[in-house]
């Protein structure tokens, strides 16, 4: 749109290049021509895909493809055996429900751009055809001359032509909590960050004080907010660890299923002379047995339960996979303002009577410093007692009120009669108040370096004496000390006169002042944030700060929060600014990113680069933020966490999770819940795959021996009844005690890590062996009819899986180290699944359909007894793992 950098141009040059006129503005016809050329001043929406396109995209996932194959196979088996296609329909229902949920989540995510569109100011005050008019902000064009006043939302990017005490709050764009004092001076430096472009006003920021006149330099997508919207639209969402693991598991299972099914088919027709049609059905049954078709549905249910638990703890999850992603988070990158800090300036230190005091110490209500900072103040107190005004000024009034000072009564008894407003050049503000004795109290506050030049006396404990060089040195030293602690320091002074000066100026009002003291304020850290950061560190999670604020402020807050060690003398080496990042390539940043804990004065692009640098190191990273400037990085991160109270709709729309209480501690609570969710999904995976491995081995070995041990309908029924319900119930397990004492899992870890894979292997082999043993006893030892022997194998395999569900409550821990029946859902699943399993055996008619018979007492005893033996055998194996140290080898994840 433009071939110039607005903040580096003089006002005359900008007006000339945009072919405008300060006194007349644009003509209506010219404005119309420009809106046709540049388009409306609004954020452009992406071309959204149709619901059908989104729905079809859900079927590109590899596990979904596996499920569709499973549905076809199950249908083929059902038709071939005359059993119908009920199982096929169930699998298809699972697939469709997953697809619908995916579409819903994607639709929700698109709200981020729409939120940006709604942020624009509805009206703008613009000069057209020589007169001021109110027009819709969407009608603004480059070259328009607009005015800005306190309370306005800046409607476009503007180069300031006039700035009268103008202050603009840009926290949502830059992350800096203090409003920026604006000027019209040209900035000669190159690559100046947004927060330092003091001669610019940016779209969607808020005017808090003063007034200004400016020329529109950018509208719509050419504004800084539009730039963020474009970044947001082009930032690809990251594949979650859960999605990655499920996709990899699906691929591996598919390969294994094909190999085993083909091998079984070849063995059957080559070595046992089974008919091809028979072996085809056996191979298909084996394939169905190997596919954990319920896993996506079970994962969804476990994740949904996790979202409920998180919601109860003020963490609102917008996308289901985010629940588990939190558990694998290795780095939390947090915005400072409003996330780690309260986003409210607070008086922390006060210097008066020659001494430094904490703000909590009592101060006399007659103290001239207290009177100076409350009188020279434009804060308003509404009917509810709420403070309205500039954050630094409201902090002073709050301090006075907390000290028991009746501000309203004091100001009304000594009313303001005149003032010298704040000016960005002299950095002072003065007000004149009529005292009860007829004299006038002049209250002055402002920058210490400016105010001390105008002070000739000093007040110490009510004694006014000439100010000495020793006094000045002491004041400047205390000012420097507070500044080193990242406190924003202002000074207060006063004098009492008999008459009001005829003219209001710094020469007539702000001379021969009596120095009263200094106040140091800061946007303080949240009280709970430090403890949460330390708890995260115990869990192996690193916290880094990313902020638009100044480096010294960011470093001080980081030290107070223990992100940086306050005893480390070279903490500045762990702090990087946006300007320094500009001089680093992406490769250099990725190489050195682990050395930095604080990033200051950064832009939205820098935040995205930082996130990508951590991801280049194979780290799962969470980004926390509340502003518009955080939105692209929130979307880029593996999991974006927005603030529910102070967060902009844009930030919340780009996030995977929203904190209802804006509490950093809630993130750590959510991490614990995420780890529990992963652990429970892992238990479900262990249970399902060990069961499926047992079924596959049973069919494969039976084929080798020429046995017909289980019918296809038996396998399908066991998969449907004894697999799904216990697996879901395992998702309701409580968090294990050591969950937050372990380091987070890395991208190299999966569902099969931490001892799950060897557990699946030996437990699956054990299930298959026990089932084959019972069939052998029935068929060849006891000599029962073949159908009864099949029924015994059916009972054994079904109840082995039900008993085994209790084994997987812990990978290596003993079932009896706690209460084995503390999961009421698992107890219920055992009863329900057992009843359904017994029902097809005991109910006449149904047992004929399932090709089973009712065994005698001996057969029942053998089947159930052998099935229960898996609990005893697994307990012995776990004890061996623990005793030999193999358990520790697999689970060496305890954080140091």
């Amino acid at each position: 749109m433009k071939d110039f950098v607005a903040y580096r141009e003089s006002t005359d040059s900008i007006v000339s290049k945009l072919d405008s006129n300060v006194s007349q503005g644009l003509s209506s016809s010219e404005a119309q021509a420009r809106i046709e050329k540049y388009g409306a001043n609004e954020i452009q929406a992406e071309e959204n895909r149709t619901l059908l396109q989104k729905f079809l995209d859900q079927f590109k996932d590899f596990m979904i493809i596996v499920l569709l194959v499973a549905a076809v196979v199950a249908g083929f088996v059902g038709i071939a055996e005359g059993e119908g296609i009920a199982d096929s329909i169930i699998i298809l229902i699972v697939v469709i429900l997953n697809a619908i949920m995916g579409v819903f989540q994607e639709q929700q995510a698109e709200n981020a751009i729409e939120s940006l569109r709604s942020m624009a100011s509805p009206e703008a005050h613009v000069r057209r055809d020589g007169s001021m008019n109110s027009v819709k902000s969407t009608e603004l064009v480059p070259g328009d001359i607009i005015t800005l006043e306190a309370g306005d939302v800046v409607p476009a990017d503007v180069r300031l032509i006039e700035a009268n005490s103008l202050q603009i709050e840009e926290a949502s764009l830059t992350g800096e909590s203090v409003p920026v004092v604006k000027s019209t001076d040209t900035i000669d430096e190159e690559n100046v960050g947004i927060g330092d472009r003091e001669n610019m006003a940016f779209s969607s920021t808020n005017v808090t004080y003063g007034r200004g006149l400016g020329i529109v330099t950018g509208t719509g997508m050419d504004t800084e907010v539009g730039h963020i919207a474009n970044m947001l639209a082009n930032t690809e969402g990251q594949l979650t660890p859960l999605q990655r693991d499920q996709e990899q598991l699906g691929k591996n299972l598919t390969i294994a299923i094909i190999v085993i099914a083909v091998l079984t088919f070849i063995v059957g027709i080559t070595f046992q002379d089974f008919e091809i049609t028979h072996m085809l059905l056996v191979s298909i049954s084996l394939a169905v047995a190997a596919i954990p078709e319920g896993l996506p549905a079970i994962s969804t249910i476990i994740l949904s339960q996790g979202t409920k638990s998180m919601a109860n703890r003020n963490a609102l999850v917008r996308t289901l996979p985010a629940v588990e992603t939190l558990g694998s988070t290795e780095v939390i990158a947090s915005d400072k303002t409003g996330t780690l800090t309260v986003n409210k300036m607070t008086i922390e230190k006060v210097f008066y009577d020659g001494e430094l005091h904490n703000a909590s110490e009592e101060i006399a209500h007659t103290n001239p410093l207290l009177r100076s900072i409350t009188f020279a103040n434009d804060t308003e107190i509404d009917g509810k007692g709420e403070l309205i005004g500039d954050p630094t000024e409201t902090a002073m009034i709050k301090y006075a009120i907390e000290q028991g000072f009746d501000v309203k009564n004091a100001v009304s008894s000594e009313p303001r009669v005149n003032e010298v407003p704040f000016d960005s050049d002299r950095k002072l503000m003065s007000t004149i108040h009529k005292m009860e004795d007829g004299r006038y109290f002049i209250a002055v506050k402002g920058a210490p370096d400016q105010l001390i030049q105008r002070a000739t006396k000093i007040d110490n404990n009510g004694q006014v004496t000439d100010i000495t060089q020793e006094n000045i040195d002491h004041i400047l030293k205390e000012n420097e000390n507070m500044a080193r602690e990242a406190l924003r320091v202002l000074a207060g002074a006063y004098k009492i006169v008999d008459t009001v000066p005829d003219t209001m100026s710094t020469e007539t009002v702000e001379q021969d002042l009596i120095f009263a003291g200094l106040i140091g304020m800061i946007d303080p850290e949240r009280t709970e944030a430090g403890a949460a950061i330390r708890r995260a560190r115990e869990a192996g999670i690193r916290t880094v700060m990313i902020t638009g604020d100044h480096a010294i402020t960011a470093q001080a807050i980081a030290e107070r929060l223990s992100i940086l060690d306050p005893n480390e003398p070279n903490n500045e080496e762990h702090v990087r600014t946006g300007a320094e990042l500009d001089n680093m390539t992406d490769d250099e940043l990725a190489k050195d990113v682990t050395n930095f804990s604080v990033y200051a004065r950064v832009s939205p692009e820098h935040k995205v680069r930082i996130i990508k640098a951590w991801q280049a190191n194979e780290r799962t990273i969470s980004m926390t933020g509340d502003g518009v400037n955080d939105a692209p990085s929130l979307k880029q991160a593996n999991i974006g966490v927005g603030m529910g109270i102070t967060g902009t709709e844009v930030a919340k729309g780009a996030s995977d999770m929203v904190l209802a209480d804006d509490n950093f501690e809630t993130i750590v609570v959510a991490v614990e819940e995420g780890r529990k969710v992963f652990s429970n999904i892992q238990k479900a995976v262990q249970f399902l795959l060990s069961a499926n491995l047992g079924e596959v081995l049973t069919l494969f070995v039976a084929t080798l021996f020429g046995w017909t041990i289980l019918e296809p309908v038996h396998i399908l029924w066991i998969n449907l009844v004894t697999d799904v319900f216990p697996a879901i119930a395992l998702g309701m397990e409580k968090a294990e005690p050591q969950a937050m004492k372990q380091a987070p899992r890395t991208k190299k870890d999966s569902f099969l890590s931490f001892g799950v894979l060897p557990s699946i292997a030996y437990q699956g082999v054990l299930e298959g062996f026990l089932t084959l043993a019972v069939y052998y006893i029935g068929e060849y030892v006891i000599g029962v009819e073949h159908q009864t022997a099949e029924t015994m194998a059916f009972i054994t395999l079904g109840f082995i899986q039900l008993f085994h569900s209790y084994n997987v409550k812990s990978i290596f821990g003993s079932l009896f180290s706690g209460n084995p029946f503390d999961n009421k859902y698992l107890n219920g699943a055992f009863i329900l699944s057992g009843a359904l399993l017994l029902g097809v055996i005991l109910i006449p008619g149904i047992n004929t359909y399932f090709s089973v018979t009712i065994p005698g007492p001996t057969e029942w005893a053998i089947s159930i007894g052998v099935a229960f033996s898996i609990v005893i055998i697994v307990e012995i194996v776990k004890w061996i793992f623990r005793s030999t140290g193999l358990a520790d080898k697999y689970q060496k994840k305890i954080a140091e």
Side-chain angles (χ1 to χ4, degrees):
M1 179 184 287
K2 55 180 183 286
D3 57 357
F4 56 84
V5 180
Y7 64 84
R8 297 188 63 198
E9 298 281 346
S10 67
T11 54
D12 290 340
S13 173
I14 286 285
V15 171
S16 175
K17 287 185 176 182
L18 290 174
D19 194 17
S20 188
N21 185 292
V22 175
S23 60
Q24 296 296 313
L26 298 176
S27 65
S28 298
S29 58
E30 177 62 20
Q32 183 60 39
R34 293 191 184 189
I35 203 168
E36 291 175 3
K37 178 180 179 181
Y38 298 120
N41 177 31
E42 60 186 6
I43 303 300
Q44 296 173 5
E46 289 184 276
E47 184 178 343
N48 292 329
R49 292 172 300 153
T50 65
L51 284 175
L52 178 61
Q53 288 174 318
K54 294 174 185 175
F55 183 77
L56 293 176
D57 280 348
Q58 305 304 313
F59 295 91
K60 294 178 180 178
D61 182 82
F62 199 84
M63 194 61 176
I64 297 298
I65 295 172
V66 171
L67 284 174
L68 289 173
V69 172
V72 173
V73 171
F76 181 76
V77 171
I79 294 171
E81 292 295 305
E83 311 291 352
I85 57 171
D87 294 290
S88 180
I89 292 173
I90 290 172
I91 297 171
L92 286 174
I93 290 173
V94 170
V95 171
I96 292 170
L97 287 176
N98 273 284
I100 291 172
M101 188 167 293
V103 171
F104 175 76
Q105 292 169 4
E106 186 175 342
Q107 193 69 35
Q108 289 291 101
E110 289 179 356
N111 291 338
I113 296 295
E114 292 303 314
S115 298
L116 273 169
R117 290 170 59 84
S118 66
M119 282 189 63
S121 172
E123 295 288 331
H125 306 292
V126 60
R127 185 171 289 164
R128 295 263 177 90
D129 299 315
S131 61
M132 294 302 300
N133 300 282
S134 290
V135 302
K136 292 181 179 179
S137 64
T138 55
E139 297 175 6
L140 287 181
V141 295
D144 266 330
I145 306 297
I146 67 170
T147 61
L148 299 171
E149 296 181 351
D152 286 350
V153 175
V154 181
D157 280 6
V158 177
R159 171 64 165 91
L160 295 171
I161 298 171
E162 297 177 9
N164 298 315
S165 304
L166 183 65
Q167 297 183 39
I168 300 179
E169 189 268 307
E170 299 176 343
S172 66
L173 195 61
T174 66
E176 186 172 0
S177 54
V178 179
V180 179
V181 178
K182 295 296 183 177
S183 72
T184 60
D185 298 337
T186 303
I187 300 174
D188 293 328
E189 299 175 40
E190 294 185 18
N191 301 321
V192 176
I194 296 174
D196 295 318
R197 298 177 195 174
E198 296 176 352
N199 57 12
M200 297 290 297
F202 300 106
S203 177
S204 303
T205 58
N206 302 297
V207 181
T208 61
Y209 193 86
R211 56 189 175 82
L213 181 75
I215 181 169
V216 174
T217 59
T219 59
M221 296 300 289
D222 199 44
T223 62
E224 290 298 330
V225 170
H227 180 51
I228 291 173
N230 188 55
M231 288 175 61
L232 192 59
N234 290 293
T235 300
E236 294 184 5
Q238 297 297 303
L239 200 64
T240 71
L242 178 65
Q243 292 167 329
R244 184 183 65 243
D245 287 350
Q246 284 190 335
E247 182 176 323
Q248 189 61 43
L249 184 62
K251 290 180 179 178
N252 293 338
L253 280 176
T254 301
I255 295 170
I257 289 165
I258 292 172
V259 170
I260 293 171
V262 170
L263 184 60
T264 303
F265 180 80
I266 294 171
V267 168
I269 62 173
T270 304
F271 299 102
Q272 296 298 338
D273 289 330
F274 283 124
E275 293 183 3
I276 292 179
T277 53
H278 172 77
M279 281 313 304
L280 182 60
L281 289 175
V282 170
S283 298
I284 292 172
S285 298
L286 187 147
V288 172
I291 297 173
E293 59 269 12
L295 182 57
I298 291 166
S299 297
T300 300
I301 292 169
I302 295 173
L303 291 170
S304 297
Q305 183 63 30
T307 64
K308 289 182 181 179
S309 298
M310 287 186 178
N312 292 335
R313 303 176 82 173
N314 294 314
L316 309 178
V317 178
R318 298 181 66 250
T319 57
L320 281 181
V323 179
E324 184 275 332
T325 308
L326 276 163
S328 60
T329 297
E330 299 170 87
V331 181
I332 298 176
S334 178
D335 180 43
K336 177 184 74 70
T337 306
T339 307
L340 296 173
T341 64
V342 298
N343 196 19
K344 188 176 292 184
M345 296 301 291
T346 303
I347 307 295
E348 194 164 275
K349 300 285 186 181
V350 188
F351 173 80
Y352 58 87
D353 296 338
E355 295 181 353
L356 186 66
H357 305 265
N358 290 321
S360 58
E361 296 179 37
E362 187 175 346
I363 185 173
H365 294 176
T366 56
N367 187 293
L369 175 62
L370 188 66
R371 297 184 73 207
S372 297
I373 63 175
T374 52
F375 280 35
N377 198 306
D378 288 331
T379 299
E380 296 182 9
I381 305 176
D382 66 14
K384 298 179 181 179
E386 297 291 328
L387 305 181
I388 303 171
D390 178 85
T392 57
E393 294 196 328
T394 59
M396 299 174 196
I397 297 300
K398 183 181 180 184
Y399 166 69
I401 292 173
E402 289 176 347
Q403 287 287 338
F405 185 60
D406 191 342
V407 177
K408 276 190 172 182
N409 183 61
V411 174
S412 62
S413 62
E414 298 184 12
R416 184 187 300 191
V417 296
N418 219 322
E419 65 183 274
V420 181
F422 174 84
D423 181 85
S424 58
D425 291 329
R426 75 182 204 287
K427 299 178 181 178
L428 296 173
M429 172 186 181
S430 300
T431 57
I432 304 176
H433 301 260
K434 186 171 184 179
M435 302 170 64
E436 293 180 354
D437 62 5
R439 294 183 297 167
Y440 296 90
F441 180 86
I442 297 179
V444 186
K445 78 168 192 310
D449 59 331
Q450 294 292 323
L451 188 146
I452 206 166
Q453 294 176 22
R454 294 166 169 80
T456 57
K457 299 181 183 298
I458 187 170
D459 190 313
N460 275 315
N461 294 301
Q463 299 295 317
V464 178
T465 59
D466 290 338
I467 194 166
T468 66
Q469 187 59 45
E470 183 180 355
N471 295 141
I472 293 173
D473 291 342
H474 187 196
I475 293 165
L476 293 177
K477 182 179 179 181
E478 292 296 343
N479 177 43
E480 183 181 354
N481 289 339
M482 283 194 276
R484 283 177 179 170
E485 296 179 20
L487 299 180
R488 186 186 186 197
V489 185
L490 293 177
Y494 74 100
K495 68 178 179 179
I496 298 174
V497 297
D498 294 325
T499 59
V500 177
D502 294 331
T503 58
M504 292 291 105
S505 68
T506 186
E507 290 78 13
T508 59
V509 176
E510 297 169 344
Q511 303 297 324
D512 299 320
L513 300 176
I514 304 169
F515 182 82
L518 303 172
I519 56 168
M521 66 184 72
I522 197 170
D523 176 14
E525 71 276 14
R526 290 177 175 270
T527 55
E528 70 285 345
I533 288 170
R534 288 188 288 275
R535 189 173 175 219
R537 187 181 298 118
E538 290 176 359
I541 302 170
R542 181 173 174 180
T543 303
V544 298
M545 179 192 294
I546 304 179
T547 178
D549 218 332
H550 293 280
I552 187 171
T553 304
Q555 180 179 330
I557 292 293
E559 289 174 350
R560 291 162 67 145
L561 288 168
S562 76
I563 292 174
L564 293 174
D565 184 352
N567 299 315
E568 168 64 48
N570 299 315
N571 273 334
E572 64 275 4
E573 295 180 3
H574 303 293
V575 180
R576 282 293 176 270
T577 64
E580 290 171 322
L581 293 179
D582 285 334
N583 294 323
M584 299 177 71
T585 65
D586 289 342
D587 289 340
E588 290 172 338
L589 179 57
K591 181 180 179 181
D592 295 340
V593 71
T594 56
N595 296 325
F596 312 137
S597 296
V598 177
Y599 303 88
R601 222 62 181 153
V602 295
S603 68
E605 293 94 336
H606 292 139
K607 293 184 179 185
V608 172
R609 285 187 66 201
I610 293 165
I611 298 296
K612 287 183 175 180
W614 279 104
Q615 290 171 337
N617 283 274
E618 295 297 315
R619 302 293 184 89
T620 299
I621 183 168
S622 163
M623 173 67 193
T624 305
D626 61 352
V628 177
N629 60 323
D630 297 315
S633 52
L634 286 169
K635 188 175 179 182
Q636 175 66 41
N638 298 95
I639 177 165
V641 181
M643 299 291 108
I645 299 174
T646 59
T648 61
E649 289 303 312
V650 183
K652 286 185 276 190
S655 300
D656 302 294
M657 186 179 84
V658 176
L659 304 182
D661 57 358
D662 282 17
N663 191 334
F664 184 86
E665 184 180 25
T666 303
I667 301 174
V668 182
V669 169
V671 167
E672 181 179 10
E673 189 68 32
R675 291 190 175 187
K676 183 187 80 173
V677 165
F678 171 75
S679 176
N680 289 349
I681 294 177
Q682 197 175 38
K683 289 170 185 175
V685 169
Q686 180 184 345
F687 173 72
L688 289 171
L689 294 190
S690 60
N692 288 10
L693 178 59
E695 294 168 13
V696 168
L697 289 176
T698 299
L699 290 175
F700 180 72
V701 175
T703 301
L704 288 177
F705 291 143
W707 298 344
T708 304
I709 187 171
L710 291 167
E711 302 296 329
V713 69
H714 296 159
I715 294 296
L716 292 172
W717 187 248
I718 287 174
N719 275 3
L720 184 64
V721 172
T722 64
D723 279 8
V724 175
F725 297 126
I728 293 173
L730 286 167
M732 309 302 176
E733 283 286 307
K734 298 176 182 177
E736 296 188 32
Q738 294 297 311
M740 291 300 284
K741 297 297 182 181
Q742 296 179 339
R745 69 188 184 96
T746 67
K747 290 189 175 181
K748 296 179 182 177
D749 301 320
S750 70
F751 289 137
L752 305 180
S753 301
F754 317 127
V756 170
L757 183 58
S759 296
I760 289 172
Y762 86 82
Q763 290 163 8
V765 170
L766 185 58
E767 290 187 31
F769 173 78
L770 292 176
T771 304
L772 289 163
V774 167
Y775 175 80
Y776 178 81
I777 291 170
E779 181 82 22
Y780 299 105
V781 177
I782 301 176
V784 296
E785 293 182 359
H786 176 71
Q787 195 172 64
T788 304
E790 278 193 332
T791 303
M792 290 175 67
F794 176 56
I795 294 170
T796 303
L797 184 57
F799 274 98
I800 276 178
Q801 295 184 7
L802 294 181
F803 286 123
H804 183 54
S805 64
Y806 285 88
N807 287 328
V808 298
K809 285 167 66 72
S810 176
I811 299 174
F812 295 118
S814 172
L815 173 62
F816 304 103
S817 60
N819 179 5
F821 305 110
D822 61 354
N823 186 342
K824 62 181 181 181
Y825 301 102
L826 187 57
N827 300 334
F830 184 96
I831 295 170
L832 175 61
S833 297
L836 291 171
L837 190 65
L838 293 174
V840 300
I841 299 170
L842 300 176
I843 300 175
I846 294 180
N847 53 18
T848 303
Y849 177 82
F850 275 86
S851 301
V852 293
T853 59
I854 301 177
T858 301
E859 290 80 40
W860 275 112
I862 292 171
S863 300
I864 300 297
V866 172
F868 179 76
S869 70
I870 195 170
V871 175
I872 300 170
I873 298 172
V874 169
E875 279 293 309
I876 294 171
V877 176
K878 285 182 179 180
W879 177 81
I880 294 172
F881 270 107
R882 294 195 302 271
S883 300
T884 58
L886 286 173
D888 292 334
K889 178 182 176 182
Y890 282 116
Q891 295 193 310
K892 280 188 177 179
K893 301 297 291 182
I894 304 298
E896 297 180 359

